[in-house]
């Protein structure tokens, strides 16, 4: 039977940190074995040249291959499919060269998870198919850090409570595979009298419902949070958090802590090498001790994000440490 594997890209929905567990997926699978068509034998030359035999013709990997396929269902992730079938992400990607972005898969898509021996042999220059290394174990962790911010010195009645959340996926070496930062900021004007110790009913939720507040996180607010105009980098809050999430991938929690301790100022912000006019005298003295490579790295970082990683607004480093401490293996 011949089947044509269509290539459709679909943008994966961003997951909410507060909707736990964020990395969990439905464990529903279907599989099927597909027979590959036998390619026509090449014509034999009338007079073979007295040279070494030509290499076997390469297989057009954009066409469907013979083997066992997995059908993607809602909630699936590429790494999860790879782990479920004893493959690394790279090994599964090599089996499916038609997938240009492993972060973009969609329900109903068929992914080759096991090639038949004949197909595997044809895709290599040797008769022995390479054996994929054992898949790494993955661990999920959710960390939260709440802190109260006294802001009355700058703005009357503008104290606030901030709840920082970090959801992370780690490999068995402790390196970050996936990461999401978010914050819920609770302001007094959302709940009149919410800090009154004499209040009979201190229910945030009840007051929130009465005032039409739906508990949006800063990421859920998106552009409405309104930081672009005041941000040094000219980027919205959620854009800067997305940058940090990508930048810290591949690092361990200890490496992130070391990076923060060395390259962030007293306010928890990376030294603004991309904006030298914003550097204080203390900052300039510190960055003068860095190598040229370190300075270039800070230019790259602060072009993408300058928000604090640890201050009264948010405590991402603390929450990341907690996420790692409570991590559980993903089954």
């Amino acid at each position: 039977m011949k089947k044509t594997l269509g290539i459709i890209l679909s943008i994966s929905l961003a997951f909410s940190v507060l909707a736990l567990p964020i990395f969990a997926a439905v464990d529903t699978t279907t599989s099927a074995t597909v027979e590959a068509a036998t390619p026509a034998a090449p014509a034999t030359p009338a007079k073979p040249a007295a040279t070494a035999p030509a290499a076997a013709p390469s297989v057009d990997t954009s066409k469907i291959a013979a083997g066992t396929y997995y059908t993607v269902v809602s909630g699936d992730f590429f790494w999860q499919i790879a782990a479920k079938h004893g493959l690394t992400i790279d090994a599964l990607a090599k089996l499916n060269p038609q997938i240009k972005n492993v972060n973009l898969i969609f329900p109903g898509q068929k992914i080759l998870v096991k090639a038949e021996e004949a197909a595997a042999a044809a895709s290599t220059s040797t008769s022995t198919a390479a054996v994929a290394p054992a898949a790494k174990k993955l661990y999920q962790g959710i960390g939260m850090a709440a802190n109260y911010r006294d802001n009355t010195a700058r703005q009357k009645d503008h104290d606030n409570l901030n709840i920082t959340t970090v959801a992370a996926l780690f490999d068995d070496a402790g390196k970050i595979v996936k990461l999401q930062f978010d914050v819920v900021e609770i302001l007094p004007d959302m709940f009149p009298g919410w800090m009154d110790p004499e209040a009979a009913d201190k229910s945030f939720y009840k007051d929130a419902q009465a005032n039409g507040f739906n508990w949006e996180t800063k990421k859920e607010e998106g552009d409405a949070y309104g930081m672009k105009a005041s941000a040094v980098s000219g980027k919205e809050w959620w854009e800067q958090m997305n940058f940090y999430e990508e930048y810290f991938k591949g690092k361990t929690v200890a490496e992130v802590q070391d990076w923060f301790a060395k390259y962030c100022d007293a306010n928890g912000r990376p030294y603004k090498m991309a904006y030298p006019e914003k550097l204080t005298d203390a900052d300039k003295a510190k960055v003068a001790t860095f190598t040229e490579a370190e300075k270039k790295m800070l230019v790259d970082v602060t072009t993408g994000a300058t928000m604090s990683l640890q201050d009264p607004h948010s405590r991402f480093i603390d929450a990341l440490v907690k996420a790692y401490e409570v991590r559980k293996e993903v089954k």
Side-chain angles (χ1 to χ4, degrees):
M1 180 189 300
K2 296 183 179 178
K3 292 185 179 179
T4 302
L5 181 62
I7 306 173
I8 305 175
L9 298 179
S10 173
I11 301 176
S12 303
L13 293 176
F15 46 79
S16 169
V17 170
L18 299 180
L20 308 179
I22 68 165
F23 295 118
V26 178
D27 185 17
T28 306
T29 64
T30 59
S31 61
T33 300
V34 180
E35 297 177 359
T38 302
T44 302
K47 295 181 179 180
T51 57
S58 60
V59 175
D60 184 359
T61 54
S62 67
K63 299 184 182 301
I64 196 164
T68 302
Y69 283 79
Y70 172 85
T71 301
V72 178
V73 298
S74 178
D76 275 342
F77 294 100
F78 195 84
W79 62 261
Q80 180 189 53
I81 296 170
K84 185 178 182 64
H85 294 89
L87 299 168
T88 63
I89 293 175
D90 287 343
L92 186 59
K94 287 179 180 178
L95 283 174
N96 295 272
Q98 77 281 4
I99 299 178
K100 305 304 180 185
N101 186 344
V102 297
N103 294 316
L104 296 176
I105 60 175
F106 57 91
Q109 184 176 7
K110 294 186 183 298
I111 296 178
L112 180 64
V113 294
K114 183 179 180 181
E116 288 186 356
E117 291 183 5
S123 65
T124 64
S125 60
T126 64
S127 60
T128 304
V131 178
K136 293 182 178 180
K137 292 182 179 180
L138 295 170
Y139 301 82
Q140 175 181 311
I142 306 290
M144 302 182 74
N147 60 286
Y148 169 78
R149 179 179 183 236
D150 183 351
N151 197 39
T152 53
R154 297 179 59 187
Q155 187 173 352
K156 185 179 179 181
D157 297 330
H158 204 68
D159 292 12
N160 51 64
L161 177 66
N162 297 276
I163 303 173
T164 304
T165 59
V166 171
L169 195 68
F170 306 96
D171 65 15
D172 51 8
K175 294 184 181 295
I176 296 169
V177 175
K178 194 174 182 115
L179 185 63
Q180 184 163 348
F181 291 153
D182 213 340
V183 173
V184 172
E185 185 176 40
I186 303 171
L187 302 173
D189 54 2
M190 296 175 181
F191 321 102
W194 70 280
M195 289 187 295
D196 181 4
E198 305 301 323
D201 187 351
K202 300 182 180 65
S203 170
F204 284 174
Y205 185 76
K206 181 178 179 181
D207 290 340
Q209 293 295 90
N211 287 280
F213 180 59
N214 63 354
W215 294 98
E216 284 185 321
T217 69
K218 287 185 179 181
K219 273 202 170 179
E220 289 172 332
E221 288 186 59
D223 290 354
Y225 185 64
M227 173 159 285
K228 181 175 288 188
S230 60
V232 174
S233 65
K235 292 181 170 60
E236 292 288 3
W237 188 90
W238 64 268
E239 294 178 293
Q240 296 187 55
M241 292 305 108
N242 284 355
F243 176 87
Y244 284 136
E245 291 165 1
E246 289 299 315
Y247 183 73
F248 290 139
K249 282 183 180 179
K251 292 180 173 62
T252 65
V253 172
E255 288 171 339
V256 172
Q257 288 178 295
D258 290 344
W259 184 93
F260 173 79
K262 184 173 183 179
Y263 299 117
C264 292
D265 62 21
N267 295 314
R269 302 170 183 269
Y271 291 108
K272 303 178 184 71
M273 285 298 297
Y275 311 93
E277 71 280 4
K278 298 291 185 180
L279 293 172
T280 66
D281 290 341
D283 294 343
K284 292 176 182 177
K286 180 65 177 180
V287 299
T289 66
F290 296 153
T291 65
E292 290 305 312
E294 289 174 316
K295 292 176 183 178
K296 182 181 184 304
M297 175 273 293
L298 281 171
V299 169
D300 293 340
V301 169
T302 52
T303 298
T306 57
M307 286 300 303
S308 177
L309 288 162
Q310 189 89 336
D311 71 355
H313 267 299
S314 49
R315 307 192 69 83
F316 293 113
I317 303 300
D318 288 348
L320 177 60
V321 170
K322 289 183 179 179
Y324 184 72
E325 290 174 345
V326 303
R327 69 194 184 284
K328 301 293 183 184
E329 185 180 350
V330 177
K331 298 294 187 181

